[in-house]
Amino acid sequence: MKPLSRILLALSLTALAAAAGAAVPVPQPKPAVSLPQAPTPPPPDIDAKSWVLMDYATGQILAAKDPDLRVEPASITKVMTDYAVSAEVAAGKVRMDDPVFISENAWKSGGAGTDGSTSFLKVNSKVPLKDLLYGMIIQSGNDAAIALAEHVGGSEATFAELMNAYAKRLGMAGTHYVNASGYPAADHYTTAHDVALLSRALIHDFPEDYAISAIKEFEWNGIKQHNRNTLLWRDPSVDGIKTGHTKGAGFCLAASAKQGDARMIAIVMGAPSEKARADDAQALLNYGFRFYETHVLYQAGKPVATPTLWKGETAQLPVGVAENVLVTIPRGRYGDLKASMDLPATLIAPYKKGQPIGSLRVSLDGKPVAQRPLVALADAPEGGFFKRLSDAVLLWFQGGKGSAPEQQPDTR
């Protein structure tokens, strides 16, 4: 056998499905009469500074315009304020029933005397933290955002640094915060891509708090205000997330909708009007649901292959992925996916469960759509003395290289 340091197992997706024991859904047989592949049209024409359409399940960007352009976030800032407060609650540092003091600063900077959105909080009063979250998310209350920041961080400036720490953790490389409300300020900026990352994290990490953004109205201090996200009334599949507007930022909207098992996130930054931001976000969501689909290709813990193991207690080592592998692709293209594995030509015990072995790649039209590490799915200790000796002799006769795993993929 020709010695190889590593061997690339180029397999069709169907072949890998067999190797994984039906870990991958097998494409349906092609019809007897082959029809031309339906094209995927370009995304809608969006009149905004920047925008992003993201698939929630995979985090893939399906379409975008200037996704990393630095823009003013306006009240989209409050999505991070919500995330940071929710994270601090989850960590036990503050509680939902905490009485939060409404300082003169919160009242003066974000209250009824300003020209921004407000929850009409009374100065020197105390309001439960949960009610402030409702006021900030539904009413977009600047006073609520500032009061929350002061309670959680001790001051709004300190809380802004906490926001930046969470942004860094989430990979929001193009974002920097200096306040909790989104009031225009120097060095306060974000990107459409970062807002999409943040929105996905909020939905995933704090689903109960995210659900607040689907509530259409909230009353505080005898004043009932409606959620500014007009898509909540237009489309029943829309359940969030947040609007924003200032003269410099234009009209912004982070929107998300769920249809069946699929969820899309649309971010529109700098639209020319309130109607335009809603129409644009709706168009992006519709485009995502209509022309894309998500598949679970490989399940965590299920063997993708069982290559030969040398000098071990067992003759084979099951390898697979530690987390489900999902891809979002244009509808009707599932059968065109190609998968390959990169594994060592010779696997010699011992291995520990979870130890990286190689890599799995999935591509469409030659472009990568997923890449994940392949790991050992079980402990593989060394075999006894005679097993190690006999395998050493066999390996010596083969020039130190074992049988290529591609000879016998695991089809059990």
Side-chain angles (χ1 to χ4, degrees), residues 27-334:
Q28 296 297 318
K30 294 183 178 180
V33 179
S34 179
L35 298 176
Q37 174 65 50
T40 302
D45 186 18
I46 303 299
D47 183 17
K49 292 178 182 177
S50 62
W51 53 267
V52 162
L53 174 64
M54 173 185 280
D55 174 72
Y56 167 76
T58 61
Q60 288 177 228
I61 301 297
L62 306 182
K65 172 192 171 184
D66 293 329
D68 298 315
L69 176 69
R70 183 179 294 184
V71 294
E72 294 182 40
S75 282
I76 298 290
T77 298
K78 293 171 181 136
V79 181
M80 175 53 86
T81 304
D82 181 16
Y83 186 93
V85 172
S86 298
E88 296 296 291
V89 170
K93 297 179 181 179
V94 293
R95 297 167 54 91
M96 282 290 191
D97 58 359
D98 279 357
V100 177
F101 179 71
I102 308 305
S103 70
E104 183 175 355
N105 176 56
W107 172 76
K108 183 179 294 185
S109 301
T114 66
D115 59 359
S117 52
T118 178
S119 291
F120 297 97
L121 303 174
K122 293 182 179 180
V123 65
N124 297 328
S125 66
K126 290 187 177 181
V127 179
L129 186 148
K130 183 177 181 179
D131 289 335
L132 290 178
L133 274 179
Y134 275 66
M136 180 185 70
I137 296 167
I138 302 168
Q139 301 172 335
S140 198
N142 292 329
D143 47 359
I146 297 169
L148 285 167
E150 291 177 340
H151 180 75
V152 174
S155 70
E156 187 174 11
T158 300
F159 183 80
E161 291 305 317
L162 184 64
M163 296 167 70
N164 289 323
Y166 279 114
K168 183 177 181 181
R169 181 180 296 181
L170 295 175
M172 298 169 61
T175 295
H176 186 264
Y177 299 106
V178 298
N179 61 57
S181 66
Y183 193 81
D187 213 28
H188 187 86
Y189 54 83
T190 191
T191 69
H193 186 193
D194 282 358
V195 175
L197 292 174
L198 172 60
S199 299
R200 182 173 184 246
L202 177 66
I203 296 168
H204 179 271
D205 296 347
F206 308 110
E208 292 184 2
D209 293 335
Y210 169 71
I212 298 173
S213 66
I215 299 173
K216 295 180 178 179
E217 60 183 28
F218 180 65
E219 180 177 333
W220 185 258
N221 198 20
I223 301 173
K224 181 182 291 186
Q225 297 187 72
H226 292 88
N227 195 316
R228 290 167 172 78
N229 183 0
T230 57
L231 292 186
L232 296 175
W233 284 267
R234 184 188 301 184
D235 184 346
S237 70
V238 173
D239 55 11
I241 306 170
K242 189 72 189 71
T243 61
H245 172 253
T246 63
K247 183 178 180 180
F251 291 85
C252 308
L253 176 59
S256 182
K258 190 172 188 294
Q259 294 185 10
D261 293 331
R263 177 182 285 280
M264 296 287 168
I265 297 171
I267 310 299
V268 176
M269 306 297 289
S273 68
E274 182 177 356
K275 183 179 185 301
R277 74 182 176 190
D279 291 346
D280 291 346
Q282 181 79 79
L284 288 172
L285 293 171
N286 291 344
Y287 176 78
F289 287 122
R290 172 61 183 84
F291 293 106
Y292 287 85
E293 59 188 0
T294 298
H295 294 275
V296 179
L297 299 185
Y298 302 95
Q299 296 178 5
K302 296 290 185 69
V304 171
T306 51
T308 299
L309 177 68
W310 295 86
K311 301 184 181 182
E313 287 185 352
T314 59
Q316 293 176 317
L317 174 64
V319 298
V321 290
E323 298 179 352
N324 288 353
V325 177
L326 295 84
V327 296
T328 301
I329 56 174
R331 288 190 179 276
R333 300 297 309 278
Y334 179 66

